[in-house]
Amino acid sequence: MKLSMKSNCFFFIFFFLIAVLLSCQAPPEEPLQIGYIDWPGYEILYLAQQKDFFQEEKAPILLKDFSSFSDLRKALQLGRLDGAAMSINEMLLARLGEEYRVVFVLNVSQGADGIVGQHEFQSIRNLKHKRVGVELTGLGGYLLARALEIADMEISEVIRVNMTATIEAYTAFSERKVDAVVTFEPILSRLVTEQGGKILFTSREIPDEIINVLIFHKDALKYRRDDCLRVLRGYLKAREFWKKEPDQAIAIMARRERVSPDYFRQSLNGLLIPDLSTNLTYFGLSDTENYFLESIKNFQSFMEENDLPYGPVYFENLLNDLKRHEQFS
């Protein structure tokens, strides 16, 4: 009887200690929430998720899709995201620089953003007093202003109609509610091939002015730096997979964009998608000057000339921590 009581007491203490130890363990980290909009240059993030490259790197990440930059901007400004994929121009416009840091260049637009007019329009100058669909709070407003500036026109010479650059732009154009739209791939190509539109201007005419980057919140970089690095490693694995198995990778990415692989492949023609070694050059870590400085200065000058408010942009050096992963470059 005494032995039985001792045994029961022993097991009680044993399980009590186990329960205490388990309760002392830190709960699993919440995933880093990364926001992005539909854009071919961001789909390598989706590819990394679908091919389990984030999981292989033990990167706790949750991708959150937004229908427009306006919605993405609101989520960032409210602190609901740990990071995002967006252009530096949009970051300046949204004045996110105090809270978020640029860590990696995902792509540079070299024709993937543009202005499409109805078939009867031959140039930007033909849009005088015409209706142009554009997302005013996003990159589209800047692209339209630059196109008009190059055409020696004022922004007041066109009628701007605020709308998202994707489905709303496609619908408004196809129903001829607007004379032109500011959009990006794959909508850009679809409006030409499916609706007979004519490309009037693209980002190819303003090289290196639209740089799309990955940003992280400063707190994520301070307290979860290793997790941020794991996200980058997963992304770089996906980029390497795309280079080695382009047909399979494009099929996966095109499915999320809801276009054919041929459309998606064409969309990528207007993008430069840099590797790690190129990013080291961009960030001035390869005995070169910071790639962004002149582009940002030009953008800031443009904003000041047009009396438009903008915020600062700050960079965080995660890339030196990745340099040992030379197989990705």
Side-chain angles (χ1 to χ4, degrees):
M1 183 70 176
K2 289 182 179 179
L3 182 60
S4 177
M5 289 180 64
K6 286 182 179 179
S7 297
N8 289 339
C9 184
F10 170 78
F11 283 116
F12 174 79
I13 293 172
F14 174 77
F15 286 114
F16 174 77
L17 290 174
I18 292 294
V20 169
L21 288 172
L22 289 174
S23 67
C24 291
Q25 289 182 348
E29 289 276 16
E30 290 292 322
L32 293 170
Q33 298 193 48
I34 308 297
Y36 71 132
I37 62 172
D38 288 354
W39 163 247
Y42 300 150
E43 295 305 344
I44 291 180
L45 289 164
Y46 176 74
L47 179 64
Q49 175 182 271
Q50 292 299 299
K51 295 298 293 183
D52 293 330
F53 294 132
F54 289 135
Q55 186 175 347
E56 286 179 13
E57 291 296 326
K58 297 180 172 58
I61 181 174
L62 175 63
L63 295 177
K64 302 198 73 172
D65 189 13
F66 289 82
S67 61
S68 69
F69 172 71
S70 298
D71 292 336
L72 174 59
R73 184 195 69 235
K74 289 176 186 175
L76 287 164
Q77 290 173 333
L78 291 171
R80 293 174 178 169
L81 296 172
D82 299 294
M86 64 194 311
S87 72
I88 286 185
N89 315 69
E90 290 166 332
M91 191 176 181
L92 282 159
L93 285 166
R95 288 176 275 187
L96 296 168
E98 294 297 339
E99 298 297 321
Y100 293 87
R101 304 289 183 263
V102 176
V103 300
F104 197 84
V105 177
L106 299 174
N107 56 79
V108 180
S109 182
Q110 298 181 337
D113 296 84
I115 301 173
V116 184
Q118 300 288 357
H119 66 87
E120 63 266 29
F121 297 103
Q122 300 301 311
S123 72
I124 290 293
R125 294 195 63 81
N126 295 147
L127 296 179
K128 189 172 184 178
H129 305 314
K130 301 300 181 181
R131 293 168 61 83
V132 180
V134 56
E135 187 170 4
L136 295 174
T137 58
L139 180 63
Y142 172 73
L143 191 73
L144 176 60
R146 286 290 283 122
L148 292 170
E149 180 184 51
I150 291 170
D152 198 26
M153 293 175 64
E154 299 292 333
I155 197 74
S156 59
E157 293 184 74
V158 299
I159 302 167
R160 292 175 295 170
V161 182
N162 192 33
M163 63 182 62
T164 64
T166 52
I167 299 302
E168 285 186 10
Y170 185 91
T171 302
F173 188 92
S174 62
E175 295 177 356
R176 296 190 67 90
K177 292 180 179 178
V178 292
D179 300 293
V181 292
V182 183
T183 186
F184 46 77
E185 294 290 7
I187 300 296
L188 191 67
S189 294
R190 287 184 59 196
L191 287 175
V192 173
T193 58
E194 297 173 9
Q195 301 298 328
K198 182 175 179 61
I199 293 179
L200 305 178
F201 184 87
T202 75
S203 53
R204 194 178 302 277
E205 298 175 63
I206 48 172
D208 299 334
E209 288 193 27
I210 300 178
I211 304 169
N212 299 295
V213 295
L214 180 65
I215 65 174
F216 281 120
H217 194 279
K218 61 183 181 181
D219 288 344
L221 289 164
K222 182 177 181 180
Y223 299 111
R224 302 184 63 182
R225 191 177 186 86
D226 285 345
D227 287 339
C228 295
L229 284 167
R230 292 186 184 102
V231 169
L232 281 178
R233 289 176 186 137
Y235 171 86
L236 287 167
K237 275 190 173 181
R239 184 192 178 280
E240 182 183 35
F241 177 81
W242 162 60
K243 298 299 287 186
K244 290 183 176 179
E245 301 288 344
D247 291 342
Q248 185 181 349
I250 285 171
I252 293 170
M253 294 187 286
R255 186 165 61 244
R256 204 196 81 85
E257 289 272 337
R258 297 174 294 279
V259 297
S260 70
D262 287 341
Y263 262 127
F264 192 84
R265 194 186 305 273
Q266 183 177 345
S267 299
L268 295 180
N269 291 336
L271 289 171
L272 169 66
I273 302 178
D275 57 13
L276 174 57
S277 62
T278 305
N279 262 272
L280 291 169
T281 300
Y282 288 168
F283 279 80
L285 300 174
S286 299
D287 299 321
T288 61
E289 293 185 7
N290 188 310
Y291 170 82
F292 303 105
L293 294 182
E294 186 171 350
S295 178
I296 290 173
K297 287 177 183 176
N298 290 339
F299 182 77
Q300 289 172 332
S301 296
F302 175 83
M303 298 291 283
E304 289 167 2
E305 290 168 4
N306 290 274
D307 295 321
L308 297 172
Y310 65 90
V313 170
Y314 298 109
F315 303 89
E316 181 79 15
N317 179 14
L318 287 182
L319 300 185
N320 278 334
D321 298 326
L322 291 172
K323 286 174 73 173
R324 64 181 179 275
H325 293 262
E326 291 297 331
Q327 69 267 31
F328 299 132
S329 59

